[in-house]
Amino acid sequence: VKTNQSSAELSDKSQRLCPRIVDLAYSPTQPQFVSAAHSASAFKRQSVLSLWDSRQLQADRKFPLPSDIAVNSVCYSPNGQLIFTGCSD
């Protein structure tokens, strides 16, 4: 029975998406930062941009991207009004 449980746990873990943060950028004007994360498994790929409140350390907004896009870099414009991303597809 232990062997069956262990193999079931391994297969469940291998199908989970584990996000990897690929870039962070701090806003030049607001107490916030943006993170670009990418996760992949054998069956699914996903990238997401998250806008964080740096005082609360909580994600205020999340922006999932289409599955065929992988975010490689992120930055703010000098006035903090725009967020730019570099992606590969």
Side-chain angles (χ1 to χ4, degrees):
V1 174
K2 282 187 177 181
T3 305
N4 290 341
Q5 289 176 344
S6 296
S7 64
E9 289 175 17
L10 289 173
S11 66
D12 288 345
K13 288 179 184 177
S14 67
Q15 293 179 15
R16 273 191 248 161
L17 296 175
C18 297
R20 178 176 60 101
I21 295 183
V22 293
D23 203 8
L24 292 170
Y26 199 81
S27 171
T29 58
Q30 299 293 320
Q32 66 186 21
F33 62 95
V34 63
S35 66
H38 178 73
S39 56
S41 75
F43 306 105
K44 187 176 179 184
R45 184 171 106 167
Q46 184 176 0
S47 291
V48 64
L49 294 177
S50 300
L51 190 60
W52 296 78
D53 179 334
S54 62
R55 288 177 267 172
Q56 301 292 323
L57 293 180
Q58 293 180 357
D60 289 336
R61 297 181 75 183
K62 291 187 178 186
F63 305 95
L65 301 173
S67 63
D68 60 339
I69 295 176
V71 176
N72 298 317
S73 62
V74 63
C75 68
Y76 279 90
S77 63
N79 66 3
Q81 297 297 307
L82 300 171
I83 297 172
F84 299 96
T85 62
C87 304
S88 61
D89 54 359

